[in-house]
């Protein structure tokens, strides 16, 4: 037991010594400060590029999902539309709980929106009940589709007004 305690003391002393050395060097060495700033800028630039690449990848995935769903088609009879709507809303609500499934949830809500007789009323409900990331994805889907005349998507209390729906044209 005393050996473990001594090892812990030595490790803590080394860590504390390095912290003092680093702080002293940061305060007194201008080249070290410049190197730290360069490294910080490089990391920030890499993070920004990665975020932009992920955003572009998500837009491609959204476009592909909308195209695939449109190729599948939508029901045409009233009874089929009603059952399709209920199943899509149920799936979307269950998928909303998992952050990794937000695209799939938005796709379900988009499908339900396509068969609903009053889409703007449904959008108001989505705005109040769905998480903001799902609403943002749904807004991009509707903007890409272009065949649904909606005015309220993305502008309610749960999302930012027009924030992501205008950037789909990239």
């Amino acid at each position: 037991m005393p050996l473990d305690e001594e090892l812990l003391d030595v490790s803590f002393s080394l860590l504390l010594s390095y912290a003092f050395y680093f702080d002293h060097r940061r305060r007194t060495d201008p080249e070290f400060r410049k190197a730290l700033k360069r490294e910080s800028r490089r990391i920030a630039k890499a993070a920004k590029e990665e975020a932009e690449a992920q955003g572009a990848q998500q837009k491609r995935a959204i476009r592909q999902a909308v195209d695939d769903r449109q190729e599948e088609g939508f029901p045409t009879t009233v009874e089929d539309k009603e059952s399709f709507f209920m199943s899509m809303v149920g799936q979307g609500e269950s998928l909303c709980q998992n952050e990794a499934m937000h695209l799939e949830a938005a796709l379900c809500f988009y499908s339900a929106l396509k068969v609903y007789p009053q889409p703007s009323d449904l959008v108001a409900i989505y705005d109040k009940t769905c998480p903001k990331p799902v609403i943002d994805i749904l807004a991009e889907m509707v903007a890409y589709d272009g065949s649904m005349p909606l005015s309220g998507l993305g502008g309610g209390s749960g999302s930012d007004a027009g924030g992501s729906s205008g950037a789909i044209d990239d």
Side-chain angles (χ1 to χ4, degrees):
M1 239 1 170
L3 184 60
D4 290 341
E5 204 171 290
E6 287 178 21
L7 184 61
L8 187 62
D9 288 344
V10 169
S11 298
F12 180 72
S13 297
L14 286 174
L15 182 66
L16 190 61
S17 299
Y18 182 74
F20 280 125
Y21 165 76
F22 182 85
D23 186 54
H24 172 71
R25 190 157 177 220
R26 181 184 58 83
R27 289 176 187 228
T28 59
D29 188 357
E31 287 300 315
F32 187 70
R33 278 194 304 270
K34 288 179 186 176
L36 286 175
K37 284 182 183 179
R38 277 192 301 269
E39 182 68 16
S40 175
R41 280 191 227 120
R42 185 186 65 76
I43 290 171
K45 182 179 177 185
K48 180 181 176 184
E49 289 173 356
E50 183 178 336
E52 288 174 355
Q54 284 179 348
Q57 180 181 5
Q58 183 179 15
K59 286 180 185 177
R60 283 191 301 274
I62 288 170
R63 289 177 177 169
Q64 184 63 43
V66 169
D67 290 341
D68 291 346
R69 186 58 62 134
Q70 287 178 346
E71 284 178 18
E72 290 174 14
F74 298 97
T76 54
T77 66
V78 175
E79 295 82 20
D80 290 343
K81 283 182 178 183
E82 186 177 325
S83 64
F84 181 77
F85 171 79
M86 294 305 289
S87 69
M88 287 293 108
V89 169
Q91 283 180 345
E93 287 175 350
S94 64
L95 292 172
C96 268
Q97 307 308 317
N98 185 355
E99 288 184 23
M101 304 296 281
H102 280 173
L103 178 63
E104 290 81 2
L107 187 59
C108 289
F109 290 136
Y110 166 79
S111 298
L113 194 61
K114 287 289 281 188
V115 298
Y116 197 72
Q118 296 293 326
S120 56
D121 295 343
L122 188 57
V123 167
I125 294 169
Y126 286 165
D127 247 357
K128 294 175 185 170
T129 59
C130 294
K132 183 182 181 322
V134 174
I135 294 295
D136 291 341
I137 294 170
L138 183 60
E140 289 189 28
M141 288 178 170
V142 170
Y144 176 67
D145 180 2
S147 67
M148 288 188 288
L150 297 175
S151 60
L153 194 61
S157 62
S159 61
D160 61 18
S164 61
S165 62
I168 195 71
D169 296 330
D170 292 348

